[in-house]
Amino acid sequence: MKIFVDTAKIEEIKKVRDWGILDGVTTNPSLLSQTGKPWKEAALEILKEIPNKPVSLEVIATDFEGMVKEAKELAKMGDNVVIKIPFTYEGIKAVKALKAENIKTNVTLVFSSLQALIAAKSGADYVSPFIGRIDDIGYDGIGILEEIIHIYSLYNFETEIIAASIRHIDHVKQCALLGVDIATIPFKVIEQMFKHPLTDIGLKRFLEDAKKADITII
Ligand code: E4P
């Protein structure tokens, strides 16, 4: 399972990159607004910091022509740009047009397996079902993700599934058990994935015993 970090904060991206487990980044207008920097500056900083990993940047226009125009502008910002396109009639049309121009797309705001089916048919490179927001309205986000994985496997679609809107470590575990291609995870949740009290207790004991045994290696 590839790990993307769902943030626009450069410090968080650098940390996950330096841990050696970063496969890509997803942003959206809300995440960019949280950086405290002009959006373009924040986006360029990310693109330059991880030049070989995909970085999703979202269009703001909602009409076909506007989305295509904005996507072309965003694509100029770096070879690793992936254009996030909202799941709408116009968005799906734009995905097809951008594919013809070799511009990569990530269909966002996907909440059902039928929407995901359409995204794959349009030739999107990525599709982002929003697990947490599905849970928020009383439905089963992981269940819908499972449906999407199953449907895609039946037809060998090439679109990669990004499990998005992940809220906690159990979401990540369920994604991994289902074999999803990618999970885009908030930085705080990635930090939590490292943690286990028995690791801390075990390390403390080993260090105490190392002292007792007078172990010095260098
Ligand atoms: C994904 O690409 C989105 O940026 C993100 O996962 C949305 O998550 P949220 O529901 O926590 O805002």
Side-chain angles (χ1 to χ4, degrees), residues 171-218:
H171 272 156
V172 182
K173 187 170 86 178
Q174 295 303 327
C175 286
L177 286 169
L178 289 176
V180 74
D181 302 304
I182 302 157
T184 189
I185 313 173
F187 178 74
K188 273 208 155 68
V189 177
I190 298 181
E191 269 189 329
Q192 284 163 7
M193 288 166 68
F194 276 80
K195 292 187 181 144
H196 199 288
L198 290 180
T199 304
D200 300 337
I201 292 166
L203 181 59
K204 189 168 173 275
R205 196 171 300 156
F206 283 150
L207 293 178
E208 283 162 5
D209 290 343
K211 247 187 202 161
K212 280 187 213 153
D214 208 16
I215 298 173
T216 48
I217 298 170
I218 299 173

Side-chain angles (χ1 to χ4, degrees), residues 2-66:
K2 288 183 219 165
I3 292 183
F4 286 10
V5 62
D6 197 25
T7 185
K9 292 185 182 155
I10 196 72
E11 325 78 63
E12 297 183 345
I13 293 164
K14 280 185 187 167
K15 273 191 192 165
V16 184
R17 190 266 321 269
D18 293 348
W19 291 334
I21 56 167
L22 183 70
D23 296 303
V25 169
T26 51
T27 71
N28 61 35
S30 312
L31 294 170
L32 279 164
S33 76
Q34 289 163 18
T35 64
K37 297 176 191 166
W39 76 269
K40 203 165 194 173
E41 188 187 312
L44 282 170
E45 210 175 353
I46 300 168
L47 291 163
K48 285 190 187 132
E49 196 64 41
I50 49 163
N52 303 316
K53 298 183 194 297
V55 176
S56 287
L57 300 176
E58 190 161 338
V59 293
I60 301 303
T62 53
D63 62 302
F64 170 77
E65 283 84 10

